[in-house]
Amino acid sequence: MALVGLEELRAAQRRIAGVAVRTPLLPCPWADQGTRRLWLKPENLQPTGAFKTRGAYNRLAALTDGERARGVVAQSSGNHAQAVAYAARLLGIKAVIVMPDTSPAVKVASTRSYGAEVILVAPGERDTLPAELAERHGHVWVPPYDDPYIIAGQGTVGLEIAEDAPDGLDTVLVPVSGGGLVSGTAAALKLTRPGVRVIGVEPELAADAQASLRAGERQIWPVADTYRTIADGLRTPSVGVLPFEHIRAYVDDIVTVSEDEIRDTVAVLARRGRLVAEPSGAVATAAYLHRAAELDGRVFAAVVSGGNIEPRLLAELLATGA
């Protein structure tokens, strides 16, 4: 199975230029811990509030005219949904999005606002219905992570980190769900800055990627287990087939964080970092703040992958963490 290479990553970078925001690396003096330093990559500043804009636009922009005429179908708990809907609107393509009925209302409303047709289903049906719709209506399926164009698009995060890296950068922390972001980012970094370590981060309650890396083969967790975490964007029961090959080739380790650590970090990012992060987007920073003993390194970059959080939940976490 061919891994995404530097040529595909550079092509994705050119394709998404002017659509996805080239987010900065932000220094975080408030997070200094002895000799340890932290920089944040705020992907919550993307047009749809998450890094998914990169991969979705790269995938849709590469479709042929015939494929565009058939429309696209995708499944997502929210961030990929919004990104596909947004990219489809920009490119004049019909989009049908399958979302679990547990998705945050803010993500459902945003997806619909871009003109997509949203179908809400039970969580267990999210990953099966799109194939049926593609078969029935001829739509092109746009998977959330198991696709080389998606991985290359998300990998532009890694290219930008490599280009903007502060002196001494030695460790990059990346959230893990289906694996598109971490695999693309890791590929980009290892192909341009091979000395930098890439560490994936996921919730303890949805640690299928860590289990997979330890076992050397993909592990599938029950939906009932992964849906326990507050990090709704990281509830995927397993990493994708192609992402797992990238993870095995390029990711140095995967660590986990607790629910309390995730909640605390959402509040810390808002109060100290002035960044609105959803729980899924906070896990990488949570690892830096709470799991120092498990992380070697001195200069870290952490990807804040998204900021699409329900206002009520944000208020609750800010009040709790006050």
Side-chain angles (χ1 to χ4, degrees), residues 96-150:
V96 178
I97 312 294
V98 177
M99 303 179 70
D101 54 18
T102 55
S103 298
V106 66
K107 295 184 178 182
V108 175
S110 179
T111 303
R112 286 182 170 141
S113 76
Y114 297 124
E117 176 187 349
V118 174
I119 301 175
L120 297 175
V121 298
E125 298 177 56
R126 186 193 74 164
D127 294 330
T128 57
L129 183 58
E132 297 176 19
L133 295 175
E135 175 78 18
R136 193 183 313 155
H137 302 293
H139 301 321
V140 176
W141 178 44
V142 182
Y145 44 81
D146 216 339
D147 179 279
Y149 286 93
I150 297 291

Side-chain angles (χ1 to χ4, degrees), residues 4 9 33 39 59-60 79 84 116 121 124 127 170 192 205 215 224 228 255 276 282 291 299 302 320:
V4 168
L9 290 161
Q33 297 177 347
W39 296 68
R59 172 67 273 185
L60 267 62
N79 287 336
V84 171
V121 298
D127 294 330
D170 53 33
T192 58
L205 297 183
R228 294 174 299 166
V255 300
V276 173
R291 299 300 174 104
V299 181
T320 303

